[in-house]
Amino acid sequence: MKKTTGMDRAATANWRPATKALRGGTWRSEHGETSEALFLTSGYTYDDAQTVADRFAGSAQGMTYSRLQNPTVAMLEERIALMEGAEACRTQASGMAAMTAALLCQLSAGDHVVAARAAFGSCRWLCDNLLPKFGIDVSIIDSADNAAWEAAIRPNTKVFFFESPANPTLDIVDLAHVCSLARAHGITTVVDNAFASPVLQRPMEFGADVVAYSATKLMDGQGRVLAGAICASKQWIDEVLMPFQRNTGPTLSAFNAWVVLKGLETLPMRAFAQSRSAVELGEFLEPRVLAAGGHLRHPGLPSHARHDLARAQMDATGPIFAFDVGTRARAFAVLDALKLIDISNNIGDARSLMCHPASTTHANMTEEARAAMGVSEGLLRINVGLEDIADLTEDMDQALAAAGM
Ligand SMILES: *Cc1c(COP(=O)(O)O)cnc(C)c1O
């Protein structure tokens, strides 16, 4: 492999975001291929026995096995680290593999975690079911209440875990406040940044320690593969994450890494265009939803309780928002009347997709827990895609009318 400028941190660190997304991490073989090569290999061969012994001992650099390293995966990791402004990144097979690894690699029985109430269903499952099973206590708090974070700290608190914006209620966490509070108490912050991507929000600029991703969402952006990623300091990745990751094996496949590399090339354009359309569609919908007695939660609109904070810590507010139409029956009627927008529970896709969180992404929680975090029976979540905004507005207009709104 030929080291290109894409693998040279000193050269790439000064690139602007769009250049990082397109060329960061590019590492060419002796053929000089334009597009990143796809290395579908599980293992590697060596010229002599001492070479492999040195690599296993860590005294020589080089790949040994694709659970540990793969050139295509390494390109993706370098690109994400660069975009995030992180020293290092490791990828995982899915967003949930990333969240699980980011938590379990650093927690032990007797530790305590403070986690946000508003969160993706499986992230809540980790906090409500998995961690307690291993003797790790979790306090669930209202993440939009700055005082609640401090009040929840105990002598054994090891981790703060949250999303911002949160799935699907779009709660916004005050990143600077919560991260500096954690620093002052020696607590590690783990931020699930899936709704924003490094293009729209870089939590490390506000003091976050670990930023974890579902790269399935905006990073792939075209609904093709599952992928996850964890960014942190090089020391944390090497010493805290890697012993867990290399031995438990939540590894991302080279093929999926290659697909995400292609997705990242257009991420800056997609993320800003979809954010703009989401604001426009939100502005169109809000009066109709309010007139029908519901409400709309969109960090890009002034009606959001933390609109100013969202605009201050994000470069744009993202493609996703949620609105309440009162009842499950009416939410289903809106979905069933859609002609262009698909009924689908994915997000970050270039296609507009809509779902009913209470019966899909958050169906594994109790109704009380859903209600407490704002996932009501009438709540709909939309991912606004790259279709012409006029077509999206027309489709929503007729779907709301069909549902009597
Ligand atoms: C989708 C999602 C995940 C899980 O990611 P997968 O790639 O589906 O495993 C985690 N957190 C948030 C906020 C998500 O939206």
Side-chain angles (χ1 to χ4, degrees):
M1 298 287 280
K2 201 173 123 202
K3 288 248 172 184
T4 64
T5 47
M7 276 288 181
D8 175 359
R9 268 301 170 92
T12 53
N14 291 325
W15 285 350
R16 279 79 179 173
T19 312
K20 289 179 178 172
L22 192 74
R23 288 181 176 265
T26 302
W27 191 9
R28 291 190 170 120
S29 78
E30 67 273 28
H31 302 297
E33 64 281 350
T34 316
S35 175
E36 296 78 7
L38 174 49
F39 287 89
L40 288 180
T41 182
S42 45
Y44 303 87
T45 60
Y46 315 92
D47 288 343
D48 52 66
Q50 191 58 47
T51 301
V52 55
D54 290 345
R55 287 187 192 178
F56 270 82
S59 57
Q61 289 220 317
M63 315 244 158
T64 55
Y65 189 55
S66 279
R67 172 150 43 78
L68 313 180
Q69 317 95 356
N70 175 281
T72 309
V73 173
M75 287 190 253
L76 176 63
E77 292 172 340
E78 176 62 17
R79 188 171 298 175
I80 295 173
L82 197 61
M83 295 174 74
E84 192 66 42
E87 284 177 16
C89 169
R90 276 294 176 140
T91 52
Q92 291 77 28
S94 69
M96 285 322 301
M99 301 310 151
T100 306
L103 294 172
L104 285 186
C105 75
Q106 60 177 322
L107 290 166
S108 306
D111 288 340
H112 173 243
V113 173
V114 182
R117 186 174 65 194
F120 180 59
S122 293
C123 292
R124 276 295 300 266
W125 186 88
L126 295 182
C127 293
D128 295 342
N129 297 284
L130 187 75
L131 297 181
K133 196 170 132 184
F134 293 103
I136 299 156
D137 273 344
V138 183
S139 298
I140 300 289
I141 61 147
D142 174 1
S143 63
D145 177 357
N146 280 1
W149 288 98
E150 184 153 23
I153 294 173
R154 299 181 193 164
N156 59 338
T157 304
K158 193 93 183 277
V159 167
F160 280 178
F161 179 46
F162 60 89
E163 302 164 17
S164 183
N167 188 353
T169 52
L170 286 302
D171 290 34
I172 299 289
V173 174
D174 184 340
L175 292 174
H177 174 85
V178 173
C179 295
S180 72
L181 180 68
R183 281 274 160 97
H185 288 83
I187 295 164
T188 302
T189 39
V190 177
V191 183
D192 177 345
N193 201 35
F195 263 43
S197 90
V199 168
L200 302 182
Q201 174 174 272
R202 291 158 304 282
M204 285 180 180
E205 292 174 357
F206 301 90
D209 301 301
V210 179
V211 180
Y213 284 101
S214 167
T216 315
K217 310 294 170 57
L218 273 165
M219 288 192 185
D220 170 30
Q222 285 147 89
R224 300 167 294 193
V225 297
L226 294 183
I230 301 174
C231 297
S233 69
K234 186 171 179 330
Q235 186 183 11
W236 192 90
I237 294 281
D238 289 348
E239 294 174 14
V240 182
L241 177 66
M242 282 317 289
F244 180 89
Q245 173 145 342
R246 65 167 60 227
N247 295 301
T248 58
T251 315
L252 181 63
S253 80
F255 179 78
N256 288 3
W258 183 84
V259 173
V260 178
L261 275 165
K262 297 293 108 188
L264 289 179
E265 293 182 355
T266 55
L267 175 58
M269 297 176 73
R270 289 186 283 103
F272 285 107
Q274 291 180 239
S275 294
R276 274 194 302 276
S277 287
V279 168
E280 273 194 53
L281 193 64
E283 283 169 346
F284 168 78
L285 282 175
E286 191 164 44
R288 287 274 279 276
V289 171
L290 290 175
H295 59 266
L296 187 137
R297 295 199 194 110
H298 189 324
L301 295 185
S303 55
H304 191 287
R306 286 190 143 182
H307 172 62
D308 291 335
L309 177 64
R311 295 225 305 193
Q313 61 191 28
M314 302 180 79
D315 294 343
T317 46
I320 304 140
F321 66 90
F323 56 100
D324 192 296
V325 296
T327 61
R328 178 180 288 223
R330 187 175 251 176
F332 277 26
V334 172
L335 288 172
D336 291 344
L338 294 169
K339 292 184 172 142
L340 172 65
I341 299 167
D342 291 305
I343 302 174
S344 175
N345 44 287
N346 198 11
I347 52 165
D349 198 289
R351 287 176 172 75
S352 292
L353 309 172
M354 232 165 102
C355 82
H356 178 250
S359 60
T360 58
T361 54
H362 292 69
N364 68 357
M365 299 172 64
T366 63
E367 198 173 338
E368 299 74 58
R370 274 199 299 271
M373 69 187 268
V375 178
S376 48
E377 285 294 301
L379 194 75
L380 289 166
R381 186 194 70 190
I382 182 162
N383 169 72
V384 182
L386 291 173
E387 300 92 341
D388 193 294
I389 184 67
D391 290 325
L392 295 177
T393 310
E394 270 174 36
D395 195 32
M396 284 302 314
D397 183 32
Q398 65 82 24
L400 292 183
M405 291 175 69

